[in-house]
Amino acid sequence: MKRYSAFAIAREAARNHIGWGRAWAKRPPKKRYDVIIVGAGGHGLATAYYLGRNFGITNVAILEKGWLGGGNTGRNTTIIRSNYLQDPSAAIYEKARSLYETMSQDLNYNVMFSPRGLMMLAQTEHEVRGYERTAHANALQGVETEFISARRVKELCPIINIDGPRYPVLGALWQARGGTARHDAVAWGYARACSDMGMDILQQCEVTGVRQADGKVTGVDTTLGEIGCDKLGIVVAGHSGVLAGMAGFRLPIESVALQALVSEPIKPCMDVVVMANTVHGYMSQSDKGEMVIGGSADGYNNYTQRGSFHHLEHTVSALIETFPIMSRLKMLRQWGGIVDMTGDRSPILSATPLGNCFINCGWGTGGFKAIPGSGWGFAELMAKGQSPLCDAFGLNRFTEGRFVDESVAAGVAH
Amino acid sequence: MSETVTALGGAHYAGYATITEQPARGMITLRGNLAEVAVKNAATGVAGVDMPDLRECHIVDQRGIAWMSPDELLVMVPHPEVASAVSTIQQTLSGLHSLVVDVSDARALFRIEGSGAREVLAKLCPVDLSPAAFGPGQIRRTRLGHVSAAFWMVDDSAFELVCFRSVAQYAFDLLKTAAEPGGEVGVF
Amino acid sequence: MLILTCPYCGVSGEETEFHGGGEAHLKRFGPGASEADFESYLFHRENPKGVHFERWRHVNGCGKWFIAARDTATLQVFGTYPAQTTEPPQEIRDKITAARPGWRWRDFA
Amino acid sequence: MSTRLQTGGRLIDRNQRLSFTFNGTPMTGFAGDTLAAALLGNDQMLMGRSFKYHRPRGVVAAGPEEPNALVGLGQGPRFEPNQRATTTELFDGLSAISQNHWPSLNFDIGAVNNHLSKFFPAGFYYKTFMYPRAAWKHLFEPIVRHSAGLGKVTQPGDPDRYEHFYAFYDVVVIGGGVAGLQAALAAGHAGAKVLVMEQSAHWGGRAPVDGVEIDGKPAEDWVSATLQALEDMENVTLRSRLMGAGVYDHGYLLAYERVSDHRPGTAGPRHRLWRIRAGRIITATGAIERPLSFAGNDLPGVMLASAVRDYVVNWAISPGDRTVIVTNNDDAYRTALALQMAGLIVAAVIDARPTATGALPQAVRDAGIRVETGRGIAKVKGRARVEGVALCAQAGEGAVLEEIPCDVVAMSGGWSPVVHLWSHCGGKLTWDAAQAHFRPDPDRAPADQDGAPFVIAAGAANGHLQAADTLRDAAAAGQNAAVALGRDPADGTAARANAVAEEPLLPVWIMPQGAGPDLRSKMWLDYQNDVKVSDVQLAAREGYESVEHTKRYTTLGMATDQGKLSNINGLAVLSDALGSDIPQVGTTTFRPPYTPISMAAIAGEARGDTFLPLRRTPMQDWHDANGADFEPVGHWQRPYTFRRGGEDRAAAVKREITNTRTNVGLLDASTLGKLVVKGPDAGKFLDMMYTNMMSTLKPGRCRYGLMCDENGFLIDDGVVARLDDDTFLCHTTTGGADRIHAHMEDWLQCEWWDWQVYVANLTEQYAQIAVVGPKARALLENLGGMDVSAEALPFMGWADGTLAGHPVRIYRISFSGELSYEIAVPAGQGRALWDTLLAVGTQFGIMPYGTEALHVMRAEKGFIMIGDETDGTIIPQDLGLDWAISKKKDDYLGKRGQARSHMTDPDRWKLVGLETLDGGVLPDGAYAVAPGSNANGQRKTQGRVTSTYYSPTLGRGIAMGLVHKGPDRMGEELEFARTDGTMMRARIVDPVFYDKDGEKQNV
């Protein structure tokens, strides 16, 4: 694989860049692999990468029914943070965040991780208490966050109107090393690294069946024929229910559409990521200058990846109140991504009733930021059958009522 | 009996439609089996108008009955009569499973009037307000901006709209803004 | 932006007049129920890519709960019916069969 | 140079001269001009700089597809970036500035990127800026970010108004060209209720410019006649300056009306967003001309052939003195004729096709204009402006045959239907090889709620580029739309247009066909984002094979024009590089909106006071006038405390508490939920809703109850009063009123529909005032009215009666531990009673108190608060509320959930009181640490603070918290970690800090 660097570019510039080869190889499937990962999104590719890097398992195929990185990996608002309340969440998201810090160098592919700082606005007394609690939890979890004053919020993000009118900013939970990354690059970078380790990335290869014998998976049927494997990892986000169905077990999951939009590009005016949960809106400015805005989810099952309008309406009106300069910006594009929500809104990284079949899904709105941590933990789970990062996210928790619930409010009351 | 104050003390705005908060009106929620003759009689007895059918509202001045749901009516009488009306209805329905409560104070009542009235509501409610689709005799429960509301027409150019008392100011501000001159759409 | 017709008051309104209430025809399991049954009741959902039955409340309207038969992939609505039933009415099922021959949802077809 | 012609200009009014400024330079134009036309009229061809290489950019188009001519419009709080000059109507006093350059448009430092462009191919940033690691954060990223963006940042304080409008039509026709008007006519005749919208201020589209004849008269005349006919039909509405922005599911259509952009500051809204529900949508959105890819095709002066025609015919603009036309089709010859008719020089028509023998080429030759076939442009000469072109053989590799001096190049690569709105909601496309474009596939149209196709493409938007076919197709579309909605077919015959037969075009994706790397790296596909043919080829070579990969890797089509000019050309280059057919490669997804729409229009009226409802109690005016600090609770604003004089919040809260505990306090409790539950089965129902046994409650009495969800988690609490045998009044939390009402209706309607119970939400019927404190009874007795003695109205009882002439219901319940009366009075009399209480209460030292005092007092009593002690993961058993869970009932909501292993786990954290050793106040949300750390290296914990306050009554910090096996560890000391890592020690104690035996509330 040709190593990427400024020098390589200079060399190629001299000959109009005709010397660049494929970022990832194109090979026909083998008969069988040690491990098959279904789903070449960020989580699937990261799992494969860490299987190779941490456990030397490289006889791996990653199957993708569409194009790699073509799902939610390329359809999210690229936010990276780990300021979660519950220990298991903080652990896996902080693992992910720390891996993002060095990902460009690890993969020799610039994913443009930008730890520009992330703040979650507290706009009610109830939110203030909630975020103060999170700050205390983070301090013991090794996650660097602090609860900052409204004035500090204004210093960090001058375009915020902290004086209301409807929801004044009372403070914020601030994670200085949170930020964003270039979402496509994460998938492309992992794909290139996996391919470099000899793994096969099989695009346009849809799984149509899961072959089993005496309670174990033996392989999968695909549009490219039958492929055998010792272990199967299902990492297909919004389509997990379908795959689980093929494997013969059920999931506590519902798929809904999450709304997002971007504005036209303007000169840099916001150096941080801002989340305003009271009004279900979050926003950052991309390196192209677009304001990237995330909204809330539809209240019903939806497999179309189309945006719907009324959620946008509420998100945008709230953002205009909080960021008055938004009023005369224009919306360039809106879309919807399918997110799979579990019973407690936390992910599933778990063994399944089929001994050698594992599933990684249910990331809801948290998927992108978790990619490296999820891949790291899930690879360990698949290789060793156990992983501290995954322990709390097993399927059994729904039977026992042992939830990992990040929604820190049953409703304000007085 | 001390006097009843409305949420906005009769606020008024004259734009290309006029918005006026109305004086208190006696309003009674009656829940029961609307097929029961007794229920029908109880309602019509105090309101003095015909029993409305699905999505209908019969109203004459202060008195009327609005069909709210398959098991709910809104009975309207002059405010001073509401207490007696409630007990009259309760007596008529004694022994019959039903719920009769005075909700006069829980509501704000607005009158939206003038050639622009339909348009003003069409800016705030996701409802077809063209004359072909909505007219006197009908009621529509829907949302006004972010709050629940219901409206009916008292004649060809005037609506009455009810919402909860606590959001009266919000509703009035919405209606007022929508009725500002220069905002005429001109499709009805 | 979905358009739904409330089977109680007959209003055809846009999504914002209603409130989604999740999967329909769930059988409640209470005290004494097995762990598996109780877990399924609370958490296991069909989440189909296709024909689905779901609860809606006409919240900005008559306030009634009803059930909609809808395709989650195309958003086609096959029909709505009152919530006071444990299974889809035959007439709704026929409509679905006409549009999606061989459809299946739990034990219904 | 570009100039204004002495005569002509069908859209301008030469009697209305308008003055405006561009980068501060005063200029003039005419009413009817677009800003682009007016700028050209002032010889301002250079209008901006490109995004990546900062190359000089002139206008290329005359409509919404324009990628280059983006300006900053207006000033101060009305400034708006990225406005397309081609769709901005000129008005007097308009001020515009060009974008993305420093220090000036003519001299731009950033243009250095242009000379380094060889080092910035597609995706170069993925390959570099990585080493050393710190350099990315501190050096490279700041540079990348600084160079980001196009337009200047907007300012706060937008003074304009915006609104929505809900509209309902049978048929909505998008596009006011001849196709749209013809379709509307057909649908209208069939009796359908029709809306026709046109994004610009002018009807008729291209036909009048192209000199088409319809029904024997000039298109212009047919258009005005048809408009009149439509005006006369009362079932048809015509609307200009209204753009179809997005098509959504179930026939939902967003349309964007620019009400006063052309007359800023006038009365009324600036933008109006139409939220339309349509039975059928006809997209008569026309087609967009494609550029040709030849070296230097981005120089100012290179324009679309149709745009050149538009500027000449519509606005009497001469884009330049000598024009060279380069084409692969007949249509561009119309530009030659139009230019010559305006007395301008056409140096030559360069046709890539081997031969051009159609009627239009012939007419051009007859007009004495030189026509060269089989030729292409090797490269465009000039630096900041076209100076000439070098010809070559299209079939060759670019060897220069001849150079022709010119200052305008008018190019035409054929036409692509505008399929955006067709595609937004899932409409699929089919490749039309003959015309080399994607057009809507009628068999795969977007489906509505009934599964029926609801979008119909018409005219050029449907691939019918010849006027005659356009009209036929449009008439059929209008007819079919109406018929599909059950209307009777009426006169659907189309107007007849003269049809100059056009010969087929020759698909030309790069020019010349054999161009080498050097030329390919100068062929622009995406002008705004600087994506070139060589970039797409590089992406393909590197394995970014999916069209989505290539788009994202090269940023092709991701600029503010969303690839209206570049997508098809880029796609063709990509498929060629992959050696596959264009249809196999497919297109990227079209997303709403068609062109950018203002955020403010999306928000509509929801701004400022009407952003969200703000719920007000009957006493809110008093709170406003008496120094209340509010806190939002749901949509309510509740007084947090009432400050007096120079008091800070803490001092005010302290005063309110002390006064309430020693004299009497007044609380506005109107926001508490009040649900009436009535019916023969009401008791049985409430036994399921609450963990307590409610059916045994005696009329006249009150009982505190807990509600859980099926998971067993506590969701609400409140006092239930039994009004009579089959009627209960359930109090909920402020946040709970609507939620719990819906929760009850849910269970009644969907699970126990045979139970006889009705529920009504009376929350707003009553103002509720809590009169609290040792002197509360004395105060009420002074009001005159009902007997409020301990005997007549004991603790946890209620009674109806009158107070000071008001009909009231009084509940003897206490959330503070003091003697307390909660008085419900009809809302319309709430303020009067409040005022009376304050007046009569002065002799007893009455003071109102806010929510914070309420919190502290309840904490002093060890009462839990939903949302503080609970967070959606807490069961009543965690809070020591087992006494409120009936053991006799075999079922209630949550009972099964609470039986699961994790819920019965003896290791759960349970509620205790916490007393700091130093008397200080524990930090809110602090955790009690335990020895060691877990497998993920996180410090172990054994409890947390749920509520913590300074108690003025006890003169020390008090707290409640959940602690591992807490109740069994009374007296133990715990260490609570502050965020700075230091520890605070606290002792586990009984959560009831004040009046443990409850004597005060029970007098």
Side-chain angles (χ1 to χ4, degrees), chain D residues 634-673:
Chain D
H635 283 315
W636 298 97
Q637 295 269 307
R638 298 196 70 187
Y640 177 94
T641 184
F642 297 86
R643 285 198 280 182
R644 295 188 172 183
E647 273 181 339
D648 63 10
R649 276 184 154 203
V653 170
K654 186 169 187 291
R655 171 181 48 75
E656 289 169 5
I657 293 168
T658 313
N659 187 72
T660 303
R661 293 236 185 262
T662 52
N663 296 315
V664 58
L666 207 56
L667 176 79
D668 179 356
S670 306
T671 60
L672 285 187

Side-chain angles (χ1 to χ4, degrees), chain A residues 3-6 9-10 13 16-18 20-24 26 67-68 74-75 85 87 90-91 101-102 104-105 108-110 112-116 125-126 129 132-133 135-137 140-141 166-167 177 182-185 188 203 261 263-271 285 287-289 305-307 309 313 316-318 320-321 324-335 388-389 399-403 405 407-414, chain D residues 51 77-83 100 118-119 121 124-131 133 136 141 145 148-151 153-154 156 158 160 162 164 248-249 254 270 273 275 424-425 529 538 541-546 549 552-553 558 560 562 591-593 596-600 602-603 606-608 611-613 631 633 635 637-638 649 672 711 713 733 735 855 865-868 871-873 900-903 923-927 936 938-939 941 944 977:
Chain A
R3 188 168 167 75
Y4 290 161
S5 71
I9 289 182
N16 290 300
H17 300 278
I18 52 173
W20 296 111
R22 297 185 61 91
W24 46 82
K26 199 173 189 178
W67 297 96
L68 69 91
R75 214 178 265 105
L85 174 70
D87 286 352
E101 292 265 6
T102 57
S104 297
Q105 293 72 31
N108 177 233
Y109 200 103
N110 191 347
M112 285 174 258
F113 174 58
S114 170
R116 58 187 64 175
E125 297 289 340
H126 187 72
R129 285 194 298 275
E132 282 179 337
R133 177 180 166 191
H136 281 96
L140 298 171
Q141 293 157 342
R166 184 62 176 76
Y167 288 117
R177 297 297 290 175
R182 179 76 181 81
H183 54 14
D184 296 316
W188 298 340
Q203 302 185 77
L261 70 142
S263 78
E264 291 185 327
I266 51 171
K267 290 297 174 190
C269 63
M270 194 171 97
D271 257 333
Q285 186 170 22
D287 281 345
K288 280 190 83 230
Q305 285 174 338
R306 297 193 280 269
F309 174 69
E313 181 190 355
V316 168
S317 60
I320 290 175
E321 292 306 300
I325 70 152
M326 295 294 294
S327 186
R328 286 179 99 89
L329 289 186
K330 297 192 228 62
M331 172 172 80
L332 180 59
R333 190 168 73 252
Q334 95 171 90
W335 67 94
L389 283 176
T399 324
E400 302 165 359
R402 189 185 301 275
F403 307 120
D405 193 332
S407 57
V408 195
V412 196
H414 292 275
Chain D
F51 183 84
R78 280 209 164 94
F79 173 79
E80 184 171 16
N82 305 324
Q83 281 289 67
N100 203 40
K118 263 183 172 306
F119 299 93
F124 74 97
Y125 33 76
Y126 299 125
K127 296 178 178 149
T128 180
F129 296 155
M130 289 176 279
Y131 313 97
R133 186 157 81 85
W136 168 249
E141 200 208 359
R145 298 206 70 214
L150 273 176
V153 179
T154 39
D158 183 351
D160 289 319
Y162 303 81
H164 289 176
Y248 299 81
D249 292 287
L254 279 191
R270 173 173 171 239
L273 194 68
R275 308 174 64 160
H424 282 168
C425 200
N529 274 359
L538 173 63
R541 195 158 58 243
E542 293 192 89
Y544 299 88
E545 298 174 344
S546 134
H549 283 164
R552 293 152 179 264
Y553 191 67
M558 295 177 80
T560 61
Q562 293 285 287
R591 302 286 190 189
I597 64 177
S598 68
M599 295 286 181
I602 293 168
R607 58 196 293 134
F611 161 46
L612 277 179
E631 70 163 316
V633 184
H635 283 315
Q637 295 269 307
R638 298 196 70 187
R649 276 184 154 203
L672 285 187
N711 257 314
F713 297 132
T733 59
H855 289 163
M865 169 87 63
I866 301 292
D868 287 357
D871 64 3
T873 68
R900 288 171 297 182
S901 60
H902 183 59
M903 305 296 181
D924 213 332
Y927 281 75
N936 291 314
Q938 300 168 314
R939 179 68 188 264
T941 56
R944 65 178 177 92

Side-chain angles (χ1 to χ4, degrees), chain D residues 438-493:
Chain D
F438 280 102
R439 59 178 165 77
D441 179 348
D443 301 329
R444 293 182 297 163
D448 66 8
Q449 61 274 22
D450 303 320
F454 73 94
V455 181
I456 304 171
N462 199 25
H464 297 285
L465 300 176
Q466 309 302 321
D469 314 340
T470 299
L471 290 165
R472 266 196 301 278
D473 185 53
Q479 177 85 273
N480 298 341
V483 170
L485 297 170
R487 303 285 177 173
D488 301 331
D491 171 23
T493 55

Side-chain angles (χ1 to χ4, degrees), chain A residues 75-79 258-264 270 273-274 279-286 290-296 311-320 323 326 329-336, chain D residues 599 602:
Chain A
R75 214 178 265 105
N76 63 81
T77 49
T78 79
I79 292 173
L258 187 75
Q259 307 298 329
L261 70 142
V262 296
S263 78
E264 291 185 327
M270 194 171 97
V273 180
V274 178
V279 293
H280 306 293
Y282 42 102
M283 180 160 87
S284 64
Q285 186 170 22
S286 76
E290 298 160 330
M291 307 306 278
V292 183
I293 298 166
S296 50
H311 292 286
L312 228 64
E313 181 190 355
H314 300 158
T315 302
V316 168
S317 60
L319 286 174
I320 290 175
F323 303 90
M326 295 294 294
L329 289 186
K330 297 192 228 62
M331 172 172 80
L332 180 59
R333 190 168 73 252
Q334 95 171 90
W335 67 94
Chain D
M599 295 286 181
I602 293 168

